[in-house]
Amino acid sequence: MIKYDYNYPDYLIQKIEISDNTNLLPHKQEFRSALHQIYFSNNSGKINEIVNSLTAYYCRHEKLVHQEAFKKALKDLNDYSEGSDKFFKLKDKKDNIQGFFKNVIERTFN
């Protein structure tokens, strides 16, 4: 379990931003931990920052156009949020990480 005084979402964003051929994208557990901390801190702005960082990464390294990169970032984060719920045993709860993620995305990007 991560400590809550450590800003894991900012660490994840920085790691995405420096990712290249030698520094790989964060591992799925790093995404899970960041989403877990964001969910419990109710900091929806960090979801947006992660989406934007992932979109920029996919544009830069996979040569996707912005809209395709954005869709891929949303899909990947949706998958990570679903995995987070399973990992942290929140999947069957009414309020869970994936639901929080979807609500943030709907409020922000629709």
Side-chain angles (χ1 to χ4, degrees):
M1 195 59 93
I2 59 174
K3 293 181 184 176
Y4 288 99
D5 59 341
Y6 183 72
N7 194 333
Y8 214 85
D10 283 343
Y11 162 78
L12 180 77
I13 292 164
Q14 290 171 355
K15 196 163 179 183
I16 293 169
E17 290 172 354
I18 65 166
S19 293
D20 57 22
N21 292 337
T22 56
N23 298 304
L24 299 177
L25 223 101
H27 185 269
K28 65 183 176 183
Q29 183 56 37
E30 293 174 299
F31 279 97
R32 286 180 187 156
S33 296
L35 290 171
H36 184 263
Q37 188 175 11
I38 291 167
Y39 170 72
F40 282 103
S41 67
N42 199 24
N43 188 352
S44 60
K46 290 296 173 188
I47 296 279
N48 300 334
E49 289 180 47
I50 292 172
V51 169
N52 291 332
S53 297
L54 269 179
T55 300
Y57 172 84
Y58 293 141
C59 286
R60 195 171 56 243
H61 294 288
E62 296 189 13
K63 309 296 185 211
L64 296 175
V65 295
H66 190 269
Q67 188 173 7
E68 291 172 344
F70 179 72
K71 286 180 183 178
K72 182 172 175 141
L74 290 180
K75 182 194 175 309
D76 287 352
L77 280 178
N78 184 60
D79 292 347
Y80 289 130
S81 67
E82 183 179 13
S84 297
D85 284 334
K86 289 178 186 173
F87 185 82
F88 294 110
K89 297 179 176 51
L90 298 171
K91 185 166 177 62
D92 297 326
K93 301 210 184 284
K94 181 181 175 191
D95 295 323
N96 56 30
I97 295 170
Q98 189 171 33
F100 176 75
F101 167 75
K102 287 180 177 180
N103 287 337
V104 169
I105 296 304
E106 286 175 7
R107 285 194 320 261
T108 306
F109 295 107
N110 288 333

